[in-house]
Structure formats: structure tokens, C-alpha cells
Amino acid sequence: VEALSRHVQMADEAYCIGPAASAESYLNIPRILDVIEKSGAQAVHPGYGFLSENSQFCKEIKDIGVAFVGPPVRAIEAMGDKIESKQIAIDAGINTIPGFQGVIKDEEEAVHIAKEVVG
């Protein structure tokens, strides 16, 4: 079905990366790396979702000498850690939602923090 889609028909080249199941295609890093090598691509844009927030995918793209069109590995890792990403925003002077900034170790600490935040 996708082979008949307008964007595929208009492309200079199109490569099948696997069946419809995303685990067997769009999330299959070895298969995507194989297509990159076969096509001779010099750069890869990960799209949105799927592997766009996967730092390992970004690393593997760079390891084969191909440009990753997206944020650097370190930024992807920071985005994936909500505590770290909030701290980056705070350090940059960006307004954030007030609350606890850190890892809560147990239920007792969570209750204590919640009481402080709520007032």
C-alpha cells in the first residue's frame, strides 16, 4: 500500500524497510542502517516519533559516517530525562512549573514534598 502512495511515487528513490509492523521496520535500526548503506545516503532525518528521540540510533548513524539531521546525542539524552531537561530549562532562565526538582526516594518523601508544594 505504501509503495503506491504519492510521496513514494514522487521520490527519486524509495526503499522498503520492512513490513507494516513498526518493530519490524521503522524501529528496526539494523534494517535502517542497511538501507542507508545500500542507498549511499549522506544524511538521515529521523522523522517524528519512532527513532527521532533515540540517542542510540543517532550514535549508530554517526558511527557509519552519515550526518544525523536532528539534535546531537547529548540533547536527545537530556530530553529523555525529564529531571535533567527541567534543570536545563531552569539554568537557562526559562519559567517552569514549580515543584520538586530531583528524584523522590519513597512514598514518605513524596507526601512530604507534596505538602510543601501545595502549601
Side-chain angles (χ1 to χ4, degrees):
V1 173
E2 193 167 342
L4 301 176
S5 64
R6 185 170 175 86
H7 65 279
V8 174
Q9 295 295 315
M10 293 179 69
D12 292 332
E13 296 179 41
Y15 296 85
C16 179
I17 57 171
S22 59
E24 298 176 40
S25 55
Y26 297 103
L27 294 173
N28 187 324
I29 293 174
R31 186 165 290 165
I32 293 173
L33 293 174
D34 182 54
V35 169
I36 291 167
E37 288 188 42
K38 284 180 182 173
S39 70
Q42 297 173 327
V44 172
H45 183 284
Y48 304 95
F50 293 107
L51 297 174
S52 66
E53 296 180 15
N54 185 313
S55 62
Q56 185 59 40
F57 180 61
C58 180
K59 288 175 191 171
E60 292 195 34
I61 295 294
K62 289 180 175 282
D63 287 348
I64 62 170
V66 173
F68 182 81
V69 182
V73 172
R74 184 67 195 106
I76 295 171
E77 291 170 346
M79 288 185 299
D81 182 325
K82 299 311 173 206
I83 294 170
E84 181 179 359
S85 61
K86 184 175 180 183
Q87 190 59 53
I88 290 169
I90 291 167
D91 293 346
I94 297 170
N95 292 329
T96 61
I97 296 173
F100 179 73
Q101 180 60 14
V103 177
I104 299 172
K105 64 182 176 196
D106 57 30
E107 185 178 328
E108 185 178 318
E109 183 181 23
V111 171
H112 176 74
I113 292 167
K115 286 179 182 176
E116 286 181 354
V117 171
V118 174

